[in-house]
Amino acid sequence: MRKSISGFSKLSKSKKIDWITEHYFSNTEDAKIVLKQYWNTNDKLQQLHDEFIENTISNFYLPLGVAPNFLINETLYTIPMAIEESSVVAAASKSAKFWLDRGGFKAKVLSTTKIGQVHFIYHGNVKTLQAYFKSVKPKLIEDTKSITKYMERRGGGIMDIQLKDKTQNISGYYQLHATFETLDAMGANFINSCLEQFATTFKAEAKNFEDFSSEEKSIDIIMSILSNYVPECLVRAEVSCTIKELHNDNTILPEVFAEKFLQAVKIAEVEPYRAVTHNKGIMNGIDAVVLATGNDFRAVEAGAHAFASRNGKYSSLTHATIENDIFKFWIEIPLSLGTVGGITALHPLAKLSLELLNNPSAKELMKIVAVAGLAQNFAAIHSLTTTGIQQGHMKMHLINMLNQYNANTSEKNALIEHFKTNVVTHNAVVEALNELRLTIND
Ligand code: MEV
């Protein structure tokens, strides 16, 4: 019978581990060994990780890989990627190399505005509310000065606040809808602090607004929070070449490949079942760079998928055309990223990843991340419309399967050689490994 516990967060790390292993594991000591083998031997570094979140018991490693040869707006990058999926970095690298020989990627930030809202309920006269908002707006801005002054000094801050009437959706529901420019910061803390101050001022000042009746004075603040939907924080990345240049092997004619590629993108534009998988492949590249640079991949994911549904139907984030013999392939995606703040300077590997990218501004990072998504999608569609995805994917996954069956180095080498000319499937790997072991033991 499992037991609940109170005061767990107050226990020391080792007492937490004692409690967990005692209650959830048949072999307490083995579980402790697994947890502790991921502790960093550098106590300071371990403490840093312990303090990122509550109740840390160990570290969860992901490989940090790099994809070189990304030419973006004439600058060469090696892109850091934190991801567990076998084929992602290989696919990104392949795409980067392919486009390196065809002029590289062109990327452009289209907008950088972020949004936050104070949601509140008011059942009085709308005209009086509008008059109140007009009169209190300068004070809303004024009262956030201590929060905004450094951001303003650098050229950012609050861009505007609007009163939005949402009473058609919910009785009495209104919003203070604010727009922000947060420069190189992702800005979540900045935006949320401003919003909470707006809410405090908005509620307090209502008490002094003479035109409000006594009921109208009691505005009910529901919540104040930034939005992770950032369609006005948008970046575009693009590749293009002549159809002839699309040729890179002898298996398919370039014009046939271009046409199939175009159809594959069109299918993802109109068919949500395909669009989700298509965009998942894009997010393989995007999340890996977002994570490696210490950014919030959940925010990026939520915003990207909302954007993909902006026309009322979930659709592809990438698009392609063939016009006058030119193949063009592009992505437009909202990306709210930071290169200062958060854990960007705190997590040593995030810091290193940013340095590898030449310490980009948030705008530059938006371009790099969008390119990683486009490159990933190009590689996926290339495989899907030619060899199929499993060939490359299973080749990369082979080593995982060999590790799963505790293959030693010589078994690994023998089977990697074997599968250069044989199709990798789970069964084929198990059979080949068993056969090899039998031969060796004979
Ligand atoms: C696998 O992680 C991603 C793909 O399924 C993406 C796609 O189908 O476009 C290969």
Side-chain angles (χ1 to χ4, degrees), residues 85 88 274 277-278 280-282 284 377 380-381 384 389 393:
E85 192 173 323
V88 169
R274 172 57 202 151
T277 319
H278 176 98
K280 187 273 181 185
I282 294 171
N284 277 344
N377 192 223
I381 300 179
L384 286 166
I389 206 75
H393 190 74

Side-chain angles (χ1 to χ4, degrees), residues 40 44-53 56 58-59 346-348:
N40 204 293
K44 242 179 113 191
L45 194 58
Q46 186 52 55
Q47 194 187 346
L48 179 76
H49 284 73
D50 287 352
E51 290 173 359
F52 279 149
I53 60 167
T56 308
S58 189
N59 307 307
L346 212 51
H347 194 302

